Structure formats: structure tokens, C-alpha cells
Amino acid sequence: MKGSVRMVRLREFEPYYFCDNVEKSISPPFDSISKSLESELKSFPFNITHLTLPEKESQGTMLIDKWIDSGVLKKKEEAGMILINQQSWINGRIRERFGVISLVDIYPEDGLLQPHEKTFPGKVSDRVKVLKDTNAQLEPIFLVVNNKQFDRKLILLSSKLQPWLEFTDTDSVKYKIFKIPLNDSHTISEILKTDVAIVADGHHRLAATMQMAQSSNKNDEVFWSSIMAYTTNIDSDSLLINGIHRALKCRIDNEKLNNLRSVCNSVKADSEGPKDENVLILSQEDNMIIDQEKIKKRGISAISAIHLIQNVVLKEILGLSDEELDAMIYYTHDIKECKRMIDSGESSIVFVMPPWNKEKLFNLIVKNGFLPQKSTYFFPKVCSGIVMNINR
């Protein structure tokens, strides 16, 4: 896949949607829900987490059928795309982002999408179970393109259309949802037909859906050969991309720690986070920041901060194997959680990753392909439950 030209084609579909109490039916994406929030969301009888985070297997299809029969879920009979306007309070001001939920062809894999992170087999298997259990695509994967014309088209459409739904999600992001007429859906597809599309979020769902397409009979293969996706412009000022921090849950011996310190400088204990492309390292003994000049003098090179930490620091300097990394790393985008884990002793060392420069990230992925697992955190997310693609 490295160096290949990739294009995305968006297609309209006939989505299912919750017709009442939308705010009690939606949720954040399944993999960004805390246990306490999951419990709160599941207190609502028609919340999508009953499907995305099932407590029992083989009940998803029955639950969806029950919701359809009772009128909780309805199908939009006209094919089209769904336009989403999000308003978020970010860094002291309100910012807007526009995007589209549609179908995107994924199988046979022919260069339509560019995943940028490797996946964990176990997590893919978990998503396959949910897809089989529900026979539905419950949450859109998250795609980004670099196309200002696409953004301008969505802004123009939102000014002409009346909102279909309006609500606020659990992160206080305000949503306006519009139904895009069929002719405008075709125009959007045409605008993006030669664009590179990067998978920002949903790599495990994408891999699971492709597995479903590969293993399905001919009738079901048609359904699973496309995936429901949210697509937005990476250049939007309301799209932020942070790194995902890595907390080691194992002890590191002094010799290896001293080897790490030899390429670092000490920093104040109250450092808020990394600046520029530096990596902040937290430990119970001291806090450090990697010195790029010391790295160069050691003959070490890496194409990004995440490659430096994953391939050089964790594997070469600290000597951890892939198996140890899978078992011993806790991933989080929350720096407060990182500091809590150090203070409580749950983690011996934490690597706090810097935010991504969006242009550099886009070019890096297009040129080099996959990044290590859990390299990026795109936000604000798009909540689950706005629409679903159900195989009925």
C-alpha cells in the first residue's frame, strides 16, 4: 500500500434513526466510553450502547427488531447523505465543523481508503462479534480529506437546508443534522472522487467489516462491502489531533532508565505537557523531555515522535518486545490520567505525546502509510446513534 494513490467514493444510503429522545439514544464512540458513562447511558432503555457494548451475545438483532417494531427506530425511505454541523467550545471560542455521513465502498479493497494505524487482532474480533450479533453498522468510521471545495459545499448546503435534528452530546458539542437531497449527494461524491481519504478513527471497525464481507454469502456480501463513514475536511479549525499517551504498567530497571536519561533533559515537575514535537516523560523519580540533539548524536533517526517512542525508546532503549508492549501499555489521551497513574503508582513511566501538526500528519500518512497502533486522537468525535446502516 505504501506510495499508492488512494481515492474515496461517497454513496448515499437509506439510514435508520432514533425518532424520539435523541439525546438519550446517542453516545460517544464505543471505545471512548468510561465504565461510569457506560452505566449512565445504559440506564436509558433505547441507548445505542446496548448494541455497541453488549452485555450478552446474540441479542442485538432481536433488540433492533424490537425497536423497529415499536417505532423507536425508523428508516429514512429516501436515499441520501446526512450533513452534520458541530459547534464546539475549544480553546476559548466556539468553532464549527461540517461533515457528511454516507456509505463508502471498502471490499474488494482497491485503494479507496488509507488506514493509518495498525490494529489489534483481539479488538477486531470483538467488533466482528458485534457486527454478527446486530447485522448492522452502528457507528460511522471517521474519515478526513484535504479538500476546501468539499468544505465550502457543505457550508453552502447548511445555509439552504432546514435542520432535521438538533441536540447536544455528552461532551457539550451542539449538533445540527440535515438530510442532503439526492442531487447534492451526487455533487459531493463528484467533488471527492479523486481525493485521498485517511481513516482517522474506526480502524478496528473497518477491519471487522472487511472480514464480514470476506466471509459472507453473496447476498450479505453486498451489504458488508460498504461501510458507514463520517467524512470531514482535515483543514477545519475545529478538528484537533492529539497524540495518544503511553503509560507503562511494568517496572523498568535502573540500567535501562539511565540509558533513557542519557538522551533526555530534566524538566520541572509541574510541566503541563509537551511542546512542539517533543515528548514529555513522566516518572516517579523525575520528569524528562527527549533532547533531539542527543538523539541525533546517538545516530538515531525517526520520521515522527510516535515512531521515535514506539520503535526506538520502547523497543531498543527499554528493550520491550511486541508481546510485552501489548500487555503492559495503557493508552489514554488524557494527560490528567497520566499524572494520576504516576502519582498512584499504577504506572512507572508515562510518555506524553505532543499534538500533531495536521499538514505534516496528512503528508506522513500518504507517503509512509501505517503508523503504530494508537498514534492519533482526533476530536471532537462524532457521536454514535445519529443514524445506522441496518441489514434488513
Side-chain angles (χ1 to χ4, degrees), residues 193-210:
K193 71 177 183 179
T194 60
D195 271 71
V196 173
I198 290 172
V199 181
D201 197 14
H203 289 82
H204 295 97
R205 280 168 276 163
L206 174 60
T209 305
M210 292 183 71

Side-chain angles (χ1 to χ4, degrees), residues 83-147:
L83 170 59
I84 297 179
N85 167 240
Q86 292 172 286
Q87 293 186 358
S88 312
W89 182 262
I90 300 174
N91 297 334
R93 66 185 178 90
I94 294 176
R95 306 194 195 195
E96 278 192 305
R97 190 172 80 212
F98 296 85
V100 167
I101 294 182
S102 67
L103 295 187
V104 177
D105 293 336
I106 60 169
Y107 181 81
E109 203 280 324
D110 58 1
L112 296 176
L113 304 181
Q114 181 153 346
H116 80 274
E117 289 183 351
K118 296 180 180 178
T119 55
F120 297 99
K123 292 187 176 181
V124 174
S125 296
D126 288 343
R127 287 302 99 187
V128 168
K129 290 178 182 177
V130 171
L131 296 181
K132 288 181 177 179
D133 184 40
T134 59
N135 202 21
Q137 297 170 9
L138 306 170
E139 306 176 281
I141 65 170
F142 193 143
L143 304 179
V144 292
V145 294
N146 193 4
N147 188 318

Side-chain angles (χ1 to χ4, degrees), residues 113-213:
L113 304 181
Q114 181 153 346
H116 80 274
E117 289 183 351
K118 296 180 180 178
T119 55
F120 297 99
K123 292 187 176 181
V124 174
S125 296
D126 288 343
R127 287 302 99 187
V128 168
K129 290 178 182 177
V130 171
L131 296 181
K132 288 181 177 179
D133 184 40
T134 59
N135 202 21
Q137 297 170 9
L138 306 170
E139 306 176 281
I141 65 170
F142 193 143
L143 304 179
V144 292
V145 294
N146 193 4
N147 188 318
K148 289 183 173 61
Q149 185 184 358
F150 172 63
D151 221 17
R152 289 193 293 268
K153 175 64 177 178
L154 300 187
I155 293 170
L156 179 63
L157 272 176
S158 70
S159 69
K160 294 181 175 181
L161 300 172
Q162 289 298 314
W164 167 39
L165 294 171
E166 294 186 60
F167 59 87
T168 301
D169 71 11
T170 56
D171 292 320
S172 300
V173 178
K174 294 183 178 180
Y175 285 73
K176 290 182 180 179
I177 311 297
F178 306 84
K179 300 175 183 178
I180 302 178
L182 194 58
N183 287 341
D184 289 305
S185 295
H186 292 163
T187 302
I188 290 169
S189 297
E190 191 69 18
I191 288 172
L192 294 181
K193 71 177 183 179
T194 60
D195 271 71
V196 173
I198 290 172
V199 181
D201 197 14
H203 289 82
H204 295 97
R205 280 168 276 163
L206 174 60
T209 305
M210 292 183 71
Q211 282 192 23
M212 291 292 291

